[in-house]
Amino acid sequence: MKVLVLNCGSSSLKYQLIDMDNENVMAKGLCERIGIDGSKLTHKANDKELVIEQPMPKHTEAISLVMKALVDPEYGVITDTKEIAAVGHRVLHAGTVYSESIVVNEDVKRVIRECFDLGPLHNPANLMGIEACEEAMPGTPNVAVWDTAFGMAMPEKAYLYAIPHEYYEKYSIRRYGFHGTSHMFVSGEALKFAGLDPEKGKVIVCHLGNGASISASIGGKCVDTSMGLTPLEGLIMGTRSGDLDPAVVQTICNKEGKDVNEVLNILNKKSGVLGMSGGVSSDFRDIEKARSEGNHLAEVALDAFIYRVAKYIGAYTAAMNGVDAIAFTAGVGENDIKSRKAICSYLGYLGVEIDDEANNCRGKNQMISTADSKVKVMVLPTNEELAIARETLRLVK
């Protein structure tokens, strides 16, 4: 069975066609600048690359181009789009309505639309992608895989904020958590890779990249996660501040004459390691280079990032009354050897011992703790597309 996986942004569309009989990626690509001058499709299959530059006013035109690329005599991998059994969509938000992946119907689309305010950049684009597929491939089932689904397993003590309860009742203000598809995939893979009890294994996943979050799960079910109502809460990130005293917002508003929206824009787009380093970069590789050249603020930014990750690992170990495995994933987690080592240097109290030779790896499944480490520590590349495809297959087969 072949499953098409789509991840629609406001002006982009990433896709993969996966043969679920062997979970091999048959083709993948990216549509850029949808609705903007200079639209382009880059399609890759069978070690060949096809680039098409033509206007894509809407996601409908982008989907149409993707279909043409998939059946192209030279660059395609199928002879007819009817070979696509289902389409799996990454959808950001379902509020509190849906907590599991679901085959799309009119009610699902209604919920996506009603959550535009909770996911203003993503939900509208996700819905456009679904409706474009319905138009291009009538009768082919579409599946919504929610980015917030993983966090919906959290207990009330973890997801409710200490604010008047009426705001939860009226506006669904709660901790949702994001990167959910990645956390779901990696926590499940960690249980298998470490040989843990699939029902009771305690896993902490560190999804570390320009956007970063941590989750705690038992038997693959989320206990807690660091992002909140929005992706702004939690770890220090590339441009996001992460946790801070809410009064910081009020103080900056009063001192700078800015409104709340302006300050939240600063916390989302101009803070994190970019802000802490004095504007060096939001890319951790650039921050590391600046630190090696003696930039003190870059050094502080990296130290603070590592410290925050270590604190969350400690907190989540307490939340689960122990931890069996810690998994590093995403761009920084999979590739930054020094940061992994530095984070784990805080974890001696857990009996964590890192094998430096094993830790000298990037982008592959690797156990990086020693044989006698009391907690298994590993690198596990995330694969959100495969996770979406598996969920889609589960619902339509």
Side-chain angles (χ1 to χ4, degrees):
M1 181 182 285
K2 298 176 181 67
V3 172
L4 179 63
V5 176
L6 294 184
N7 184 348
C8 293
S10 57
S11 62
S12 66
L13 184 159
K14 291 192 293 185
Y15 66 92
Q16 287 190 8
L17 182 65
I18 302 176
D19 184 346
M20 296 307 294
D21 292 337
N22 50 26
E23 295 190 340
N24 284 341
V25 177
M26 301 174 67
K28 62 181 179 180
L30 171 66
C31 297
E32 302 174 82
R33 300 179 65 82
I34 298 171
I36 306 171
D37 289 343
S39 303
K40 180 173 75 171
L41 164 67
T42 304
H43 171 85
K44 297 179 181 179
N46 299 322
D47 297 321
K48 295 181 179 180
E49 181 174 290
L50 171 67
V51 177
I52 300 174
E53 297 185 24
Q54 71 176 63
M56 300 179 214
K58 297 186 297 184
H59 285 71
T60 307
E61 287 82 5
I63 293 289
S64 178
L65 278 181
V66 170
M67 297 303 141
K68 288 180 181 177
L70 289 173
V71 300
D72 184 89
E74 182 178 356
Y75 297 94
V77 291
I78 55 177
T79 57
D80 194 308
T81 56
K82 291 179 181 178
E83 294 180 43
I84 299 171
V87 185
H89 298 261
R90 177 188 180 271
V91 184
L92 183 73
H93 232 301
T96 59
V97 180
Y98 292 114
S99 58
E100 294 184 353
S101 305
I102 188 170
V103 177
V104 173
N105 56 29
E106 289 304 313
D107 188 66
V108 171
K109 290 193 287 184
R110 175 189 63 80
V111 170
I112 295 172
R113 193 173 290 108
E114 289 180 355
C115 290
F116 279 6
D117 60 333
L118 289 173
L121 296 179
H122 296 88
N123 268 41
N126 301 153
L127 183 59
M128 282 191 285
I130 289 170
E131 292 180 334
C133 285
E134 289 176 333
E135 183 176 331
M137 295 183 288
T140 301
N142 290 274
V143 172
V145 180
W146 314 103
D147 198 50
T148 52
F150 183 74
M152 295 303 286
M154 284 186 285
E156 287 181 304
K157 64 183 179 183
Y159 73 70
L160 285 177
Y161 288 116
I163 59 176
H165 193 67
E166 64 183 283
Y167 297 129
Y168 172 69
E169 295 173 333
K170 290 163 66 175
Y171 310 119
S172 300
I173 295 175
R174 53 159 283 174
R175 179 186 306 282
Y176 288 99
F178 299 90
H179 298 143
T181 310
S182 175
H183 284 289
M184 175 181 68
F185 178 82
V186 177
S187 60
E189 293 297 301
L191 291 170
K192 292 184 285 187
F193 193 69
L196 302 178
D197 185 327
E199 302 296 326
K200 299 179 181 178
K202 299 175 180 178
V203 175
I204 293 174
V205 173
C206 303
H207 178 111
L208 308 180
N210 195 277
S213 60
I214 295 187
S215 70
S217 61
I218 299 177
K221 300 295 183 183
C222 183
V223 172
D224 207 341
T225 189
S226 59
M227 285 179 168
L229 173 69
T230 73
L232 184 57
E233 188 178 0
L235 299 178
I236 296 166
M237 307 178 215
T239 63
R240 296 186 186 118
S241 65
D243 295 337
L244 48 69
D245 182 344
V248 170
V249 177
Q250 181 188 40
T251 300
I252 295 174
C253 285
N254 292 340
K255 297 289 186 181
E256 295 284 321
K258 299 181 184 296
D259 65 25
V260 170
N261 293 321
E262 288 177 292
V263 176
L264 284 180
N265 186 61
I266 291 169
L267 296 182
N268 270 297
K269 298 181 179 180
K270 299 180 181 180
S271 300
V273 295
L274 171 65
M276 287 191 77
S277 66
V280 169
S281 178
S282 63
D283 190 306
F284 283 82
R285 293 166 294 188
D286 296 336
I287 300 292
E288 175 60 45
K289 181 175 183 292
R291 176 170 72 171
S292 69
E293 295 169 351
N295 186 310
H296 175 67
L297 289 180
E299 180 178 10
V300 171
L302 279 177
D303 286 348
F305 169 75
I306 288 162
Y307 179 63
R308 183 75 61 86
V309 174
K311 284 208 300 181
Y312 263 97
I313 291 173
Y316 286 171
T317 300
M320 295 190 292
N321 194 19
V323 60
D324 298 311
I326 299 168
F328 288 95
T329 195
V332 174
E334 294 171 25
N335 297 293
D336 193 332
I337 297 164
K338 289 182 180 179
S339 289
R340 290 196 301 256
K341 174 73 172 178
I343 291 164
C344 291
S345 70
Y346 280 95
L347 308 179
Y349 68 98
L350 294 176
V352 168
E353 294 186 29
I354 296 301
D355 181 329
D356 289 336
E357 184 176 347
N359 186 43
N360 188 28
C361 69
R362 291 182 172 88
K364 66 176 183 177
N365 290 2
Q366 178 82 38
M367 192 70 68
I368 63 172
S369 53
T370 62
D372 54 357
S373 177
K374 292 182 180 178
V375 178
K376 295 181 178 181
V377 184
M378 64 204 72
V379 176
L380 292 176
T382 190
N383 192 333
E384 295 179 69
E385 290 80 12
L386 180 56
I388 292 169
R390 286 175 176 173
E391 284 289 282
T392 301
L393 177 66
R394 179 179 66 83
L395 288 168
V396 302
K397 72 176 180 180

